[in-house]
Amino acid sequence: MNLRDAVGLTDSSLWLAVRGLQLLLLGIAGYAVATLNFGLVVNAVLPLLVTLTPEFVAWRYDHTMSGGLALWIATAAFLHSVGALGPYKWVGWYDQVTHTLSATLVAGVGYALVQALDESSDAVDFPPKFRFLFIVLFVVAFGVVWEIAEFASGGLASLVGGQAVLAQYGMSDIVLDLVFNGLGAVAVALWGTGYFDGVATVLSRGIAGVFGRQES
């Protein structure tokens, strides 16, 4: 399945949008440095690095990601960075939007992982129901780890002073985050796994190269 066809744009247009988001992230990082806002620096630089995932995959594994998937990654990273500027506090639903979008990418990674394991060995065969459950649980587990990181960030900030790198807004926020993480996971598990088949193929080659293909 081609995400470029789904959004109705040419691949070059999608990559142009990716570069635009990367420039905006670079601008946010520059603003964070100029204002000595360490938390914002982290929340701009790390997302910017995430948007370079397609370049890393092309360099390391000689695989070109589609412009649509690259834009998907860049949009999730950009929205998180923008949220750190204030919308996470000002707009009640903004956090849920970013969590849902980010969860779809985590779900894609979970699918790619289980698909790669299936492709790289004849000794295993994961049925569709298992893959669905694995994707959802993979996202839920990642979400729990993220919430723990938010609490840890807040605790560290209270000990050493300064602003927490990751914001946490209480128990109700945690519940909403996990619910919308789950919605993103289910959406990908039901309708979006095809967008990550290329990633699964890359992982499959890597697994086969490290461990060798296991024959049944």
Side-chain angles (χ1 to χ4, degrees):
M1 189 178 297
N2 195 317
L3 195 57
R4 175 189 62 191
D5 297 334
V7 297
L9 295 174
T10 64
D11 206 54
S12 59
S13 298
L14 295 171
W15 278 107
L16 184 62
V18 171
R19 301 308 177 210
L21 292 177
Q22 288 173 333
L23 285 175
L24 290 173
L25 282 168
L26 189 60
I28 295 174
Y31 169 77
V33 172
T35 56
L36 302 179
N37 188 331
F38 175 73
L40 186 56
V41 168
V42 173
N43 283 290
V45 172
L46 290 184
L48 179 59
L49 293 176
V50 168
T51 67
L52 298 177
T53 300
E55 282 78 6
F56 172 78
V57 171
W59 167 75
R60 180 65 179 82
Y61 300 103
D62 193 27
H63 173 79
T64 302
M65 282 189 181
S66 68
L69 184 54
L71 182 59
W72 193 343
I73 295 170
T75 300
F78 176 72
L79 289 179
H80 170 72
S81 187
V82 169
L85 287 170
Y88 278 142
K89 295 179 180 179
W90 308 330
V91 184
W93 48 262
Y94 191 91
D95 191 30
Q96 283 70 60
V97 170
T98 58
H99 268 272
T100 304
L101 186 57
S102 297
T104 60
L105 290 173
V106 176
V109 172
Y111 162 76
L113 178 60
V114 72
Q115 178 69 6
L117 290 172
D118 197 355
E119 290 179 358
S120 61
S121 175
D122 292 330
V124 296
D125 181 23
F126 298 122
K129 289 183 179 179
F130 173 83
R131 297 185 188 203
F132 179 91
L133 183 62
F134 179 86
I135 291 169
V136 173
L137 291 179
F138 186 83
V139 173
V140 170
F142 185 89
V144 170
V145 172
W146 183 265
E147 297 301 329
I148 292 173
E150 288 184 346
F151 268 112
S153 174
L156 182 62
S158 64
L159 287 175
V160 302
Q163 186 177 4
V165 173
L166 299 174
Q168 216 295 316
Y169 302 106
M171 291 301 298
S172 61
D173 177 68
I174 293 175
V175 173
L176 283 174
D177 288 349
L178 294 177
V179 167
F180 281 90
N181 286 347
L183 290 176
V186 170
V188 169
L190 290 176
W191 304 295
T193 55
Y195 297 122
F196 298 90
D197 282 336
V199 179
T201 300
V202 172
L203 289 177
S204 177
R205 291 203 304 261
I207 293 172
V210 172
F211 299 104
R213 186 171 179 82
Q214 301 296 318
E215 303 296 335
S216 58

